[in-house]
Amino acid sequence: MIRETIRRDIADVLKKLELDWSDNFSLELPSSAEHGDYSSNVALVHGKLNKRNPRDLAGEIAALLKKKRTYRKIEVAGPGFLNMTLSSRVYHRALEAMVTAKHAFGNSNSGQRQKILIEFISANPTGPLNIVSARAAAYGDTLYRIMRRAGYAPVREFYINDAGNQVDILAESIELRYRELHGEDIGEFPVEAYHGAYVAELAQQLNTVEGNKLLHIPERDRLEKMKEFALQQIHDMQIASLERFGVEFDNWVSEKALRAQGMVEEVLSFLAEAGCTYEMDDAVWFSSTKFGDEKDRVLMKTDGSFTYLVPDIAYHLSKLQRGFEILIDVLGPDHHGHVVKLMAAMRALKIEEKQLEVVFLQQVNLFLDGERVKMSKREGRIVTMNELIDDVGKDAARFFFIDRRPSTHLNFDLELARKKSSENPVYYCQYAHARIYSIQKKARREKISLKDFDTSELYRLKRSDEAALIKKMLEYPHILAGAAKYREPHRLTDYTKELAGMFHKYYQAVPIVNPKAPAMSKARLYMLNALKNLLANIFEVLGIDAPQKM
RNA sequence: GCGCCAGUAGCUCAGCCGGAUAGAGCAGCGGCCUUCUAAGCCGCAGGUCCGGGGUUCGAGUCCCUGCUGGCGUGCCA
């Protein structure tokens, strides 16, 4: 709100000065208070653009801006920075507007209703969701919530790879366990099979339903039956975990269904029409080298089946056909190679490159007692999403996953996440919310109420920490919009930590509820109520609780 | 070999797509509870922003180059 006002004012001034114009100038909160409330490099940018001396230009802009009552002081500094100090009334009015906006504070239409498909997790339906999936879940879901509020039109989607090799291996793994149950000696369990305990459990469950009946039907039918059963059970398992984590999907897309619709053959003919395929060694190849890949790729194997790439191209095509303007794929670190091929295919099909955005979430390492927790998929020793939630709770897990830039490796300290103290950033932030709640309780005891509060009383908030806190709260729309635009939810946790920190300091510095000074108490309560609502609002975006008591 | 990601305080990480004197949190040291929650606050200490060039008024941020670590580089998914 304040930022928009300042930008608009500056734009008006530039128009009056009849300059070549660009909105590519900064507006930031300076680190040092001497530089005012906001500072801008607008004169530096436009000096270059219009071949003018930036300091002179800054002076002219400042002179015109000063005519508005919004600005108490404007200084030209350094090579031509504009340092602006706003009159405190501007902040108090903005605070009032923030309270009026209630839950909608921070929302914007910066996304311009752009239709965005966020595909995340898309884990193989061959086992319980693991830690990497949990990170993807937290990231994708939070990004979705952020984008909704920033005015985009996002949709959450999970792609189920329920056709192909991996699920066949799953079925075979279950079959082995099933036969084991019936006393058969299965020998050494194959290395490539799924070793997790859940496989034996699924066989057990299947046995409860079917008994030994399956032993007496043809192998093909038996495996098919086991596959169906396992896919359904695992799907339900994954949904249940996600629900505990507060994550929902709008769509689940099945690869098998996609194949049944003939989408896959269609892709092959599209590529052939584009002249990008050829036959060699009894296989069909994609000449992806023409589109930035380092070597050509097989589309149809010698046995007549498709490689993973083909249905995946089909899937992405289907997203575009459904009218999405931007496709965001949230992938694990092991998909780099795949994306190069996918991108090549997109180029071959003349799809605009920027329509497909890939966010790579890097690996997650769990630490306990300062040591890395070793995980091995092959031996079935993986930490599941459920185990993590049992251990540290949904709130800590979500917060920790979001609190890092997506592209960095994440070292997850389990002990820290378990801690219920200020060392743990989640509690630090939630505690701020609970503390304000308890201040409000005290206010009720002292019969200090905001019912007839006159906002002109806000002039009493004169302290520098009060001004800083209000300023910080008013930054929220900008933070939210930035998090959406750059697909970086961690900006929100960073901001929340700062906000909570400022509050805890303020709390320590001044008594809020003071029966001897009711007018001052009310002004402060008004501000803190706004802060409490803002915190609750952010927590909702982050998918964590806003406790009233801790 | 090639591609992607990372390299910022002892540790974990920010740094608002080029701005002013590089910031937090942990860990360390020293203080603060008769009070609205000490699940908190204050102070001290801590830096070759991996190295080297370049671009410009200005570089942790952009370009080139080298080094280190992770991942990828299947007719697996």
Side-chain angles (χ1 to χ4, degrees), chain A residues 265-488:
Chain A
E265 286 79 4
E266 218 172 280
V267 162
L268 210 54
S269 60
F270 285 161
L271 285 171
E273 279 166 35
C276 310
T277 61
Y278 60 91
E279 280 187 47
M280 189 176 86
D281 302 336
D282 294 327
V284 179
W285 293 70
F286 169 35
S287 46
S288 54
T289 36
K290 286 193 216 156
F291 306 96
D293 200 354
E294 58 185 15
K295 65 185 233 196
D296 288 350
R297 307 291 171 176
V298 170
L299 297 172
M300 191 188 272
K301 303 184 231 174
T302 43
D303 67 0
S305 66
F306 296 108
T307 58
Y308 175 70
L309 182 59
V310 191
D312 205 43
I313 297 169
Y315 173 44
H316 282 82
L317 229 45
S318 84
K319 294 178 184 178
L320 292 168
Q321 284 168 355
R322 282 182 277 152
F324 291 101
E325 299 163 64
I326 300 283
L327 314 179
I328 299 180
D329 284 12
V330 180
L331 299 178
D334 49 341
H335 283 72
H336 281 132
H338 174 65
V339 168
V340 175
K341 305 175 212 169
L342 186 59
M343 276 292 190
M346 296 286 119
R347 273 183 221 123
L349 296 171
K350 304 215 170 18
I351 289 157
E352 247 192 279
E353 225 164 301
K354 57 175 198 253
Q355 284 193 273
L356 177 60
E357 286 178 26
V358 180
V359 178
F360 287 107
L361 294 178
Q362 296 297 319
Q363 178 186 336
V364 178
N365 297 319
L366 295 177
F367 281 83
L368 191 59
D369 299 325
E371 286 199 26
R372 191 165 151 191
V373 180
K374 294 224 172 77
M375 289 179 267
S376 154
K377 199 166 189 173
R378 220 177 65 184
E379 294 158 38
R381 277 192 299 125
I382 55 165
V383 176
T384 64
M385 186 159 150
N386 279 341
E387 286 163 354
L388 183 72
I389 300 172
D390 290 340
D391 190 345
V392 305
K394 176 199 66 163
D395 288 359
R398 283 191 72 126
F399 195 97
F400 273 56
F401 281 133
I402 293 311
D403 197 27
R404 293 276 132 77
R405 230 161 62 238
S407 55
T408 56
H409 289 216
L410 194 156
N411 290 329
F412 194 115
D413 184 339
L414 288 167
E415 265 154 309
L416 182 63
R418 284 179 195 150
K419 269 188 194 159
K420 302 196 188 255
S421 73
S422 63
E423 296 156 51
N424 183 342
V426 192
Y427 284 86
Y428 186 76
C429 293
Q430 289 181 318
Y431 183 42
H433 182 270
R435 235 180 187 175
I436 297 173
Y437 193 84
S438 116
I439 291 170
Q440 291 176 330
K441 228 164 51 187
K442 159 128 184 196
R444 280 196 293 276
R445 279 203 301 278
E446 301 287 353
K447 305 272 186 290
I448 295 176
S449 155
L450 287 176
K451 203 173 272 171
D452 303 310
F453 182 72
D454 179 354
T455 50
S456 67
E457 287 286 305
L458 289 173
Y459 79 90
R460 292 174 188 277
L461 301 176
K462 289 180 186 148
R463 294 174 50 104
S464 64
D465 49 7
E466 287 162 343
L469 190 54
I470 294 171
K471 219 163 97 178
K472 192 78 185 176
M473 288 195 265
L474 295 172
E475 278 292 290
Y476 179 60
H478 180 242
I479 301 290
L480 188 74
K485 183 176 176 191
Y486 297 105
R487 323 322 188 194
E488 292 186 342

Side-chain angles (χ1 to χ4, degrees), chain A residues 28-93:
Chain A
E28 54 186 275
L29 303 185
S31 46
S32 120
E34 298 158 34
H35 297 144
D37 294 336
Y38 288 91
S39 82
S40 177
N41 67 355
V42 60
L44 291 158
V45 171
H46 287 83
K48 194 175 255 175
L49 206 63
N50 293 277
K51 302 202 168 55
R52 294 273 314 270
N53 176 301
R55 272 198 75 103
D56 293 349
L57 190 55
E60 288 174 37
I61 297 172
L64 284 173
L65 273 180
K66 264 184 214 159
K67 289 184 180 162
K68 305 220 175 195
R69 278 201 314 211
T70 312
Y71 307 93
R72 192 154 57 90
K73 195 170 81 185
I74 299 183
E75 287 176 334
V76 177
F81 287 107
L82 228 47
N83 293 336
M84 296 162 275
T85 305
L86 276 52
S87 73
S88 48
R89 277 187 51 227
V90 173
Y91 288 114
H92 297 149
R93 242 181 288 138

